[in-house]
Amino acid sequence: MDPSIKNVEMKNKDRFLGFADVYDQARPEMPEYPIEIITRYLNKKADIVVDLGCGSGLSTTAWKNHCNAIIGIEPSNDMFLAASKKADKNISFKKAFAHETGLSSDFADVVICSQSFHWMNPELTLAEVNRILKSGGIFAAVDYDWPPVCKWEAELAHKQLFYKVSCLEKEHKDLNDRFIRWDKNKHLTNIKNSGYFRYQREIVFANRELCNAERFISMTLSQSGLQSIMKRKPDLIKSALDEYVETIQRLFAGETMEADFCYRMRLGIK
């Protein structure tokens, strides 16, 4: 493999070190809706599902009663250890990169990426998906938009904080360390252009969950760009982050409310 590709893989993987607990507690689980759609398109209960870039296993365990077995694939050590605690009789985890799963060919009915495909080289990953996916199988990349729909003032505060994060990443090149985040808006195009799938489409939906100030803040802290600055140059973001936390706590005022996570699922049928 090209050394530059390997280097990017390692940098992307290492962005998720040190906050698996926050990630696991705050991030949304995989909703029922995409599982229902995938099962409908498959026209049967899935035998084996593979979850690429499974993180702490939130998207893996959601399949527990919807398939005979699911395997979560995760390269980051901290996330893999958090996920491994959720292993069960039909749930297992493997430490590997998405394009080098080590799984058998024609192995899975479904391969999914939940909020993770943008961290993977699409060409290499889709080639591996094609290899391990059975004929008639389904690949789906499921992503949600930040922030969830709740209070517009909280949403604005989130956007302003991450504008600051984006500016800092551009100003301080050492915060980037050559990581690559592929454009989510090109997921469907990449699926189509791969030539592996006879049908492709995008499905947009929302899922409602409960949210309070603590969870809203924790979701913010679970994002790798902010974590990178906090770990390496905390003084650059401390003031803005303190102001953000104070704003969110004031806006929620101890209240728990409904929040809508807006999702986009891009899928292909082999």
Side-chain angles (χ1 to χ4, degrees):
M1 178 183 294
D2 186 333
S4 64
I5 295 176
K6 191 68 176 179
N7 185 52
V8 168
E9 286 180 339
M10 299 304 293
K11 297 295 185 183
N12 283 0
K13 173 179 71 72
D14 289 346
R15 281 175 68 84
F16 292 89
L17 292 174
F19 58 101
D21 54 342
V22 174
Y23 187 104
D24 192 55
Q25 293 167 12
R27 291 285 184 115
E29 296 182 356
M30 170 79 79
E32 290 281 328
Y33 182 76
I35 297 175
E36 291 174 0
I37 294 299
I38 291 170
T39 302
R40 184 189 307 172
Y41 278 180
L42 198 62
N43 202 30
K44 66 174 184 176
K45 181 179 179 179
D47 181 20
I48 297 175
V49 175
V50 175
D51 183 7
L52 300 179
C54 69
S56 64
L58 291 171
S59 53
T60 316
T61 56
W63 282 85
K64 181 176 181 179
N65 299 316
H66 302 280
C67 63
N68 294 325
I70 178 162
I71 301 171
I73 305 292
E74 174 58 45
S76 174
N77 189 58
D78 287 5
M79 291 292 184
F80 174 75
L81 291 175
S84 297
K85 296 175 183 178
K86 300 174 183 177
D88 204 345
K89 61 181 181 180
N90 68 334
I91 302 172
S92 61
F93 298 92
K94 182 177 182 181
K95 189 175 178 183
F97 286 104
H99 70 279
E100 295 176 330
T101 64
L103 300 175
S104 301
S105 299
D106 301 318
F107 178 75
D109 292 305
V110 177
V111 178
I112 60 167
C113 293
S114 179
Q115 195 71 1
S116 60
F117 192 40
H118 56 295
W119 291 113
M120 305 169 187
N121 180 297
E123 183 177 352
L124 296 178
T125 301
L126 288 170
E128 178 72 347
V129 168
N130 180 58
R131 186 185 70 79
I132 67 174
L133 200 60
K134 296 176 182 177
S135 177
I138 296 173
F139 170 70
V142 183
D143 298 287
Y144 45 81
D145 297 335
W146 292 106
V149 179
C150 52
K151 283 181 172 287
W152 72 264
E153 300 96 333
E155 297 172 34
L156 178 61
H158 183 278
K159 289 179 179 291
Q160 290 172 334
L161 177 65
F162 281 91
Y163 176 74
K164 174 73 171 179
V165 168
S166 177
C167 289
L168 289 173
E169 288 180 332
K170 292 176 182 177
E171 293 169 10
H172 300 267
K173 299 302 181 183
D174 56 328
L175 291 174
N176 286 341
D177 269 354
R178 295 178 62 194
F179 77 87
I180 294 181
R181 181 168 40 215
W182 280 269
D183 188 354
K184 292 181 182 180
N185 292 322
K186 295 182 179 179
H187 284 353
L188 187 61
T189 299
N190 288 329
I191 291 171
K192 288 179 177 178
N193 290 346
S194 72
Y196 300 133
F197 305 97
R198 52 185 162 161
Y199 179 70
Q200 319 87 25
R201 73 161 296 168
E202 177 174 328
I203 299 171
V204 180
F205 63 97
N207 191 60
R208 184 162 292 173
E209 299 187 21
L210 295 178
C211 186
N212 56 17
E214 181 181 6
R215 186 182 184 199
F216 198 92
I217 293 167
S218 292
M219 283 191 291
T220 300
L221 294 174
S222 76
Q223 293 181 258
S224 62
L226 176 59
Q227 280 286 335
S228 179
I229 299 172
M230 289 170 60
K231 287 185 290 188
R232 302 173 67 179
K233 294 191 174 183
D235 290 346
L236 295 178
I237 199 68
K238 184 180 185 306
S239 177
L241 183 57
D242 287 347
E243 181 180 349
Y244 172 79
V245 170
E246 182 180 341
T247 298
I248 298 303
Q249 290 175 336
R250 174 178 54 81
L251 289 171
F252 277 82
E255 180 184 358
T256 297
M257 64 185 66
E258 293 179 333
D260 293 334
F261 288 86
C262 301
Y263 285 80
R264 304 169 194 274
M265 176 167 65
R266 290 90 169 188
L267 61 79
I269 300 178
K270 183 176 175 181

